[in-house]
Amino acid sequence: MVRAGLDKKPREVAEMFDGVARGYDRANSVMTVGFDRRWRIKTARALDLKPGERVLDLAAGTAISTVEYTDSGAWCVAADFSLGMLERGKEIGRDVPMVAADAMRLPFADNSFDVVTVTFGLRNFVDTEGALREMARVVRTGGRMVICEVSQPQFRPFRFLYRRLGLPVLPLLARPVSSNPEAYRYLAESMGTWPGQRELAEIISQAGWTDVAWRPLNLGVVALHRAVKP
């Protein structure tokens, strides 16, 4: 089974997600007890999309979030490094533009989008700050960014339980419903090493974004970060 390491070599990450593509959406729903849908709704609200806006949904996977964003009347494109994920999205009928794209070298011109968003994909990029800078390049001045990503619970006793009990259970929950259960060991490990909300906000600021704000969800297990391109 393909399993990427925490050094996040791009080819390994892409191959790993190719391997989980068929059961990815279902495994996410099982592992999050249905909260994945709620988090996508909260992300859409934070985006506050307007009809006609151009939206880049990066690390879009099977384009499940991209399709939901089009309900606003915005024009949305799904971009992902995993061809397997995009092909799965097409296979199940998700009718949005899809582009194979490396987050470190996006195939779009400067100032192409009004909004860029990433849902549970930022931690898989080999260089977080570099990807954030590249995202800023393709967004117009005054454009917005919203990141929905795992985080670290702020309440210390709960953080201890989350790391010692919650994360090790995730691969076990994925095993019956995933097309590549071994890959979920990497996903759980990457969640445990990801920075907290304030630390990620600092990285976003260092990448050139302004007006950075964040909101913890579910006791800080997940967080939304918002920012504006100056």
Side-chain angles (χ1 to χ4, degrees), residues 103-104 122 125-136 194 200 202-209:
M104 307 308 301
L122 188 65
F125 299 156
V126 66
D127 177 359
T128 302
E129 185 175 335
L132 289 164
R133 290 186 183 278
E134 180 67 352
M135 291 157 66
W194 188 247
L200 180 56
E202 291 173 354
I203 295 171
I204 293 171
S205 295
Q206 291 167 4
W209 294 87

Side-chain angles (χ1 to χ4, degrees), residues 2-6 8 16-17 20 24 27-28 31-32 120 123-124 149-153 159 161-175 178 180-195 221:
V2 177
R3 174 180 179 268
L6 291 180
K8 302 176 187 177
M16 185 194 71
F17 278 103
V20 300
Y24 187 71
N28 280 348
M31 289 191 304
T32 64
F120 300 116
R123 74 183 188 280
N124 298 315
E149 186 54 272
V150 300
S151 191
Q152 302 299 326
R159 184 167 65 244
L161 293 174
Y162 169 73
R163 290 179 174 175
R164 291 297 182 89
L165 300 178
L167 294 181
V169 167
L170 291 181
L172 300 179
L173 293 175
R175 187 167 297 277
S178 172
N180 184 356
E182 177 66 16
Y184 284 85
R185 286 179 54 199
Y186 156 79
L187 293 173
E189 290 168 1
S190 69
M191 292 166 70
T193 59
W194 188 247
V221 170

Side-chain angles (χ1 to χ4, degrees), residues 54-63 66 75-87 90 94 96-103 105-109 113:
R54 297 173 61 85
V55 181
L56 172 60
D57 188 10
L58 186 57
T62 64
T66 321
W75 182 85
C76 306
V77 58
D80 201 284
F81 195 51
S82 167
L83 287 174
M85 284 286 193
L86 297 176
E87 289 169 356
K90 290 181 179 179
R94 293 189 174 142
V96 292
M98 298 184 185
V99 177
D102 181 350
R105 295 180 295 276
L106 292 172
F108 306 109
F113 296 94

